[in-house]
Amino acid sequence: MLKFSLTLFLCISFLLTFKYFANTGASGITPAKRSVSSSTKGRDLNFSKRDSLHWPAGFTITRFTGPDITPSPACLAVAATGEVFVGVDMIGSLGKDPGKGRIIKLIDSDNDGKLDKHTDFADVDDPRGILIMGDQVFVLHTVFSKETGKASGMILEVFEDKDHDGIADGPPKPLIEHLSNAHMLAERGTDHATNGIRMGIDGWIYIAVGDFGFHDATDRDGKKLTMLGGGIIRVRPNGKEMEVYTHGTRNIYDVAIDSYMNIFTRDNTNDGGGWNIRFSHHIQSGEYGYPLLFKHFTDEILPGLVDLGGGSGTGSLFMDEPTWPEKYNHVPMTADWGRSELYINRVTPDGPSFTQAEEPFIELPQITDLDVDGSGRLYLSAWDGAGYSGSASKGYVIRAIPNGWSYKAFPDVKAMTVADLANMLKSQSAVARLNASQELITRPASESSKAAFAIASETGAPLYARAAALFTYAQIARESGISNLVQLTHDNALREFALRELTDRKDGIAQVPIAPFLSALKDPSPRVQAAAIIGLGRLGRLEAAHELLKTKVPASFVAPAKNTEGPHATPNSAIILPHLAVRALVSMNAVDACVSAIGTPNSTLGLWALRYMYDARAVNGLIAAYPKVKDLKTKKQILVTLARLYKQEAPYDASWWWGTRPDSHGPIYKGVTWEASPRIEKFLTLQRSKSGAAGKQFFADLNERHQMGITAFGGEEKDAATKEVKVDLAKILNKKGQIGNTSIEDVMLMLAKVKGDPKIGKALFTRQGCVACHSLTRGEKLKGPFMGQIGSIMNRQQIAESILKPSASISQGFATVMITAKGNKSYMGFITDESAQKIVMRNITGDVFTIKSSDVLSRKELKTSMMPVGLANALSYDEFASLVTFLSQQKN
């Protein structure tokens, strides 16, 4: 997943691909005992790039390790006490050979900022996430089959080092197995697999899942879970109670979690315009829509907070440490591999969510991850050009501290009393609060729960301390603490968190009273209302359905116009509560209540929820309600709802994936009919027969919008023959100039001196044939990699290398594919669109082909780019520099 492409012709996803590169899997190899490396004090680890990289004044940034110790660092985590664990990935996102990854433990014994020693902590291929809690080291990585040598899945497991020798004591304990699509891991690597892990103050481990999804992921309870697409799942540290938290992201690499359990991610989406970044606030049970709803059904999703343009999000952290300046504290920090930048996303409350303002913070070449210790030392890892298969000579780790920072030893929590640990929950340090909380959970419940509850009840304590104490208390007391949590729902400051914790664990949930949640639906705080709605969904009691149906639906609940893209990254706080209410109604399968709401003031929300209820009672209720309803708008919505229910998503068996450029038409990907489909078709056909020309067009639009496939209705998309710019590549290739007679190294040196004229570069973009496969504006039809924002994700040297070495690193989604099909036909090109029914391909000369998926006999991804080497050979130095400069200015 950290793979990123450098090919200009096939390049814009350079950004994301690296992110994916870091997501490649790892093998579960039992580590042998290893020796500790000697001191590195004598090495020159000074970070000498201040003149070429930027960060704010007021920080000291030094190199901590180089590639001799931490090559190709895909992820890292820092213990509260300062030990740094780095996941070395020598496979990368598209590699398939095991035996090349490990976890390195780094130690600065005297805390002077220089590495003293390091150990090979454990052997794991393609580490994708690390979490340190006491003597436990949680690692997410890919597993390889000993029999076949191929990737067979991903696993979350925990190592222990109780003797503190820096080497895992023995075989790890598995927590969740089969945590990605094994077929795609073996087929293409780990670029869209499962990634970062981080623990919240609520004690759950939150896991960033790429859109490979997973099939039959299995936790320690034996519970199995399947998810089509990406999102966040969570599990307890003992590997139990696994569940989906949110759904509908593309390829998140990590999560940032604040002290109040707000979760933020930096995601990217393939929306046809260059893998844009979305910064999102994740609300439990929310649907974020990628790829099926986020373009044409945006009324149904929780939108991201902003579209930031091209990018490739990697590591994330919520900084909450008192040793940091206020200006850079209490903020989510998100890394972008493609932009080589760590960003701060300043969030401002907006109803139950936030708005945000992004600003660059620390520049670091192909940054992959970051974490902070209990003293406030921030460590960051840089891929730094290690390519998409890893490199033994690239990559490093840096340390960042505020000027004036001084080391403060983190206490030994195991040696602390319960009273001291409880008091530590008042610390201004999020790292301290989390470690104190987790240690308190291990102490005798009678004493620790009493101490935690006392802090939670202390009205004069800071809110972060009371919240930490409440979350800790709930984990210790479990069912015995229900009455005390109910008591805390009467505290205005804690109501939101108490409601959350009452239903946070499914065990014992039957004992939780419903009254506090029903009461909280009328609370003046939208955050409290959100917690109440989510809690009612988790309680699953149908008596709450009628109250949930009263949730107000705003005027912004409007489907995008035909053939237009909706606002999938524009904050819309008003849509959050009804969205959550719909998710709750669906989770409790409140069919009868939703049907009963048709024709009442709650009709809109009821019909919205019914769109996802594949239950014969829902279909029968909709059909029965239709003749009784007089309002034409409501009658039309009944027809829309029935059309939506005509097909459901086929069960996901993980034998396929929708690719890097999926069909985003929506609302489903692999639609199949079900038991009620014939009745729906019969009813809609009858209503259509009663319609005039305008009415029949309405049914045609229904058919097209919902991909029903009822031919008699019309409106189905027709594949238009497309033939655009034709380019005589041979003519271009046969010309020779300065570039064709110069080594790539000398070209790079030339670029540093010659800036070129972007006006000339614009003309060359057409003359050299670039227009055959690239568009520059969003209004143009998407061809190959979109060049309209290439300058925001690649520098001049990277752009130049992509032109001169097109096969060195193929852009994600634009590898050359060879397809053989029925009728003795063959096609070669790159995929521009793919659905369950068809594949659309484009070749290098501009011809477009549509192939039925059912006709495909074989499909092979080639190792070389379609872009021939030498297209720039005829150019002079000045011309080539002009072309590169023109492209570097494309930042739409």
Side-chain angles (χ1 to χ4, degrees):
M1 187 149 167
L2 292 172
K3 167 213 169 182
F4 206 28
S5 103
L6 300 176
T7 308
L8 170 65
F9 218 95
L10 305 175
C11 157
I12 187 147
S13 82
F14 176 106
L15 271 190
L16 316 183
T17 323
F18 177 86
K19 152 187 182 174
Y20 305 138
F21 195 108
N23 292 354
T24 334
S27 65
I29 301 172
T30 302
K33 289 287 182 180
R34 303 165 195 74
S35 61
V36 178
S37 177
S38 60
S39 170
T40 60
K41 285 289 188 188
R43 296 180 186 162
D44 179 14
L45 297 178
N46 290 329
F47 194 61
S48 59
K49 295 188 176 183
R50 184 65 181 91
D51 55 342
S52 59
L53 301 178
H54 68 78
W55 55 79
F59 289 89
T60 300
I61 297 182
T62 54
R63 187 186 292 246
F64 194 61
T65 62
D68 56 330
I69 296 174
T70 55
S72 307
C75 56
L76 64 76
V78 187
T81 46
E83 297 82 5
V84 183
F85 292 75
V86 180
V88 169
D89 172 26
M90 298 298 291
I91 297 180
S93 64
L94 302 185
K96 299 179 177 66
D97 299 322
K100 297 180 179 180
R102 59 193 182 276
I103 306 296
I104 306 294
K105 183 178 181 179
L106 311 173
I107 302 169
D108 174 10
S109 303
D110 55 9
N111 303 293
D112 65 351
K114 296 181 179 180
L115 179 68
D116 294 315
K117 58 184 179 181
H118 68 277
T119 58
D120 285 357
F121 179 79
D123 290 331
V124 293
D125 279 315
D126 285 336
R128 280 298 167 267
I130 309 173
L131 168 67
I132 315 299
M133 189 54 59
D135 296 335
Q136 294 185 309
V137 180
F138 299 85
V139 181
L140 175 70
H141 63 92
T142 301
V143 177
F144 285 80
S145 166
K146 294 180 180 179
E147 290 74 24
T148 66
K150 295 183 177 181
S152 57
M154 295 192 79
I155 190 170
L156 174 65
E157 55 190 4
V158 60
F159 295 86
E160 287 191 314
D161 180 17
K162 291 185 176 180
D163 58 7
H164 302 156
D165 64 350
I167 300 169
D169 292 340
K173 177 183 176 182
L175 301 180
I176 304 179
E177 298 172 276
H178 314 302
L179 199 47
S180 190
N181 182 322
H183 171 73
M184 294 313 304
L185 289 173
E187 184 74 18
R188 77 174 269 130
T190 326
D191 61 341
H192 283 245
T194 306
N195 309 295
I197 55 177
R198 195 171 289 280
M199 182 179 284
I201 190 64
D202 61 355
W204 290 89
I205 297 175
Y206 289 82
I207 306 170
V209 180
D211 68 323
F212 274 174
F214 51 81
H215 179 260
D216 276 353
T218 308
D219 71 4
R220 291 310 91 202
D221 283 323
K223 178 181 180 180
K224 294 183 183 297
L225 197 63
T226 293
M227 187 165 81
L228 169 62
I232 298 173
I233 68 168
R234 65 180 190 171
V235 69
R236 301 306 300 180
N238 61 2
K240 298 182 178 183
E241 303 177 59
M242 170 182 62
E243 64 180 29
V244 175
Y245 190 76
T246 59
H247 179 262
T249 56
R250 183 176 189 249
N251 212 4
I252 53 175
Y253 195 78
D254 203 358
V255 296
I257 310 175
D258 76 2
S259 300
Y260 308 107
M261 290 312 304
N262 293 298
I263 299 179
F264 304 96
T265 64
R266 190 178 186 89
D267 185 21
N268 55 44
T269 61
N270 185 353
D271 60 1
W275 289 271
N276 282 13
I277 284 293
R278 291 190 299 178
F279 179 78
S280 299
H281 171 218
H282 285 253
I283 302 176
Q284 187 173 10
S285 77
E287 169 58 54
Y288 291 78
Y290 180 85
L292 304 176
L293 304 177
F294 89 116
K295 291 185 74 172
H296 305 305
F297 297 83
T298 47
D299 51 321
E300 302 181 24
I301 71 170
L302 290 185
L305 300 187
V306 66
D307 184 322
L308 295 165
S312 179
T314 44
S316 299
L317 168 73
F318 193 93
M319 176 60 73
D320 193 4
E321 296 303 315
T323 52
W324 275 62
E326 188 63 26
K327 183 177 180 181
Y328 303 106
N329 204 14
H330 315 303
V331 290
M333 296 178 173
T334 56
D336 197 299
W337 183 93
R339 296 184 181 184
S340 294
E341 188 81 47
L342 176 65
Y343 290 92
I344 285 174
N345 299 86
R346 300 196 182 279
V347 292
T348 302
D350 177 28
S353 186
F354 300 88
T355 57
Q356 74 85 50
E358 181 178 82
E359 60 186 59
F361 180 41
I362 296 175
E363 184 180 9
L364 194 63
Q366 296 176 336
I367 178 174
T368 57
D369 209 356
L370 66 155
D371 203 9
V372 67
D373 72 6
S375 187
R377 291 173 288 194
L378 179 68
Y379 292 87
L380 307 95
S381 52
W383 195 254
D384 193 31
Y388 57 86
S389 294
S391 169
S393 62
K394 295 286 186 178
Y396 53 86
V397 174
I398 66 169
R399 186 189 78 156
I401 55 172
N403 290 351
W405 171 92
S406 60
Y407 171 72
K408 183 178 180 181
F410 195 80
D412 180 1
V413 294
K414 292 187 179 301
M416 294 174 70
T417 66
V418 166
D420 287 339
L421 287 168
N423 193 56
M424 197 172 174
L425 295 175
K426 295 182 180 181
S427 169
Q428 295 180 45
S429 164
V431 171
R433 295 193 298 271
L434 177 60
N435 281 264
S437 174
Q438 287 299 299
E439 179 61 26
L440 270 171
I441 293 167
T442 69
R443 302 300 178 88
S446 58
E447 184 182 1
S448 59
S449 63
K450 182 178 179 180
F453 187 74
I455 300 294
S457 304
E458 189 178 327
T459 56
L463 182 59
Y464 59 76
R466 299 185 70 197
L470 186 154
F471 286 123
T472 304
Y473 173 76
Q475 294 173 71
I476 299 169
R478 301 292 298 274
E479 293 91 330
S480 66
I482 290 174
S483 60
N484 278 338
L485 289 173
V486 170
Q487 177 185 326
L488 292 178
T489 66
H490 298 294
D491 186 314
N492 290 339
L494 294 185
R495 185 172 298 122
E496 170 193 347
F497 314 119
L499 290 169
R500 178 186 178 109
E501 285 305 292
L502 277 168
T503 60
D504 196 47
R505 310 280 287 272
K506 289 298 184 73
D507 291 344
I509 202 169
Q511 302 174 38
V512 175
I514 195 173
F517 297 89
L518 296 176
S519 175
L521 290 176
K522 302 178 179 66
D523 194 274
S525 166
R527 291 186 64 91
V528 170
Q529 293 177 48
I533 292 169
I534 294 166
L536 287 170
R538 293 178 67 80
L539 283 172
R541 296 176 194 168
L542 288 172
E543 60 264 37
H546 292 289
E547 293 302 314
L548 287 170
L549 282 161
K550 295 177 183 178
T551 308
K552 184 179 179 181
V553 179
S556 59
F557 179 67
V558 178
K562 185 177 181 179
N563 298 324
T564 62
E565 182 173 316
H568 58 77
T570 302
N572 183 6
S573 60
I575 205 66
I576 294 173
L577 296 181
H579 177 96
L580 297 177
V582 165
R583 304 318 305 167
L585 289 163
V586 173
S587 69
M588 62 177 64
N589 198 35
V591 174
D592 295 338
C594 290
V595 168
S596 298
I598 298 173
T600 74
N602 304 325
S603 184
T604 300
L605 193 75
L607 287 168
W608 181 0
L610 284 165
R611 296 180 188 185
Y612 319 107
M613 295 181 181
Y614 290 93
D615 187 308
R617 292 178 300 142
V619 173
N620 294 338
L622 287 161
I623 291 174
Y626 186 79
K628 300 175 184 177
V629 171
K630 304 305 178 186
D631 177 62
L632 294 180
K633 182 179 179 180
T634 303
K635 292 178 80 71
K636 183 177 290 188
Q637 285 304 309
I638 291 174
L639 297 177
V640 169
T641 307
L642 285 167
R644 181 62 172 272
L645 291 172
Y646 180 68
K647 283 187 176 179
Q648 65 177 350
E649 193 71 58
Y652 184 51
D653 62 4
S655 65
W656 57 276
W657 176 54
W658 47 45
T660 57
R661 305 181 74 183
D663 174 19
S664 55
H665 181 290
I668 52 180
Y669 192 79
K670 279 194 171 185
V672 293
T673 56
W674 59 293
E675 61 174 296
S677 297
R679 187 169 188 202
I680 293 173
E681 182 174 358
K682 181 179 179 181
F683 178 77
L684 293 179
T685 300
L686 176 62
Q687 302 311 312
R688 178 179 179 274
S689 69
K690 300 175 182 178
S691 304
K696 286 183 170 55
Q697 182 59 49
F698 170 77
F699 283 93
D701 290 342
L702 275 186
N703 195 38
E704 186 276 332
R705 176 171 169 78
H706 297 94
Q707 300 196 80
M708 299 169 69
I710 302 176
T711 304
F713 284 13
E716 296 176 305
E717 290 183 335
K718 298 293 190 296
D719 294 325
T722 305
K723 198 170 187 178
E724 300 182 31
V725 177
K726 297 289 289 184
V727 178
D728 188 343
L729 297 179
K731 185 176 180 180
I732 295 172
L733 289 169
N734 288 333
K735 292 183 178 180
K736 299 297 177 186
Q738 285 177 296
I739 296 299
N741 295 316
T742 305
S743 70
I744 188 170
E745 292 80 8
D746 286 337
V747 172
M748 295 303 173
L749 291 173
M750 174 275 296
L751 277 177
K753 301 175 181 178
V754 181
K755 299 304 179 186
D757 184 343
K759 292 182 180 178
I760 294 174
K762 183 177 182 180
L764 287 166
F765 186 81
T766 299
R767 196 181 86 192
Q768 294 305 117
C770 304
V771 292
C773 286
H774 301 290
S775 54
L776 291 170
T777 64
R778 296 188 186 281
E780 297 178 71
K781 183 177 178 62
L782 181 66
K783 304 173 184 178
F786 177 63
M787 292 292 106
Q789 61 188 24
I790 188 65
S792 69
I793 60 174
M794 296 178 74
N795 60 36
R796 294 175 81 244
Q797 284 195 341
Q798 291 166 338
I799 291 172
E801 183 181 23
S802 300
I803 299 171
L804 299 173
K805 297 166 61 178
S807 292
S809 178
I810 307 299
S811 278
Q812 184 194 90
F814 297 101
T816 306
V817 176
M818 176 68 76
I819 288 180
T820 59
K822 294 176 181 177
N824 198 29
K825 296 178 180 179
S826 62
Y827 307 88
M828 185 173 76
F830 54 81
I831 308 297
T832 61
D833 190 36
E834 183 169 2
S835 71
Q837 292 77 37
K838 65 183 180 181
I839 298 171
V840 181
M841 295 183 68
R842 181 186 184 90
N843 67 18
I844 191 68
T845 62
D847 295 313
V848 177
F849 309 96
T850 299
I851 309 151
K852 290 183 178 179
S853 298
S854 58
D855 287 345
V856 174
L857 299 176
S858 68
R859 172 174 173 168
K860 183 178 181 181
E861 190 170 291
L862 305 182
K863 301 291 186 182
T864 56
S865 167
M866 283 198 303
M867 176 180 175
V869 175
L871 286 180
N873 282 353
L875 301 183
S876 67
Y877 287 158
D878 189 69
E879 286 175 324
F880 186 72
S882 296
L883 176 60
V884 170
T885 297
F886 167 70
L887 290 168
S888 71
Q889 293 179 352
Q890 304 308 302
K891 300 180 179 181
N892 296 332

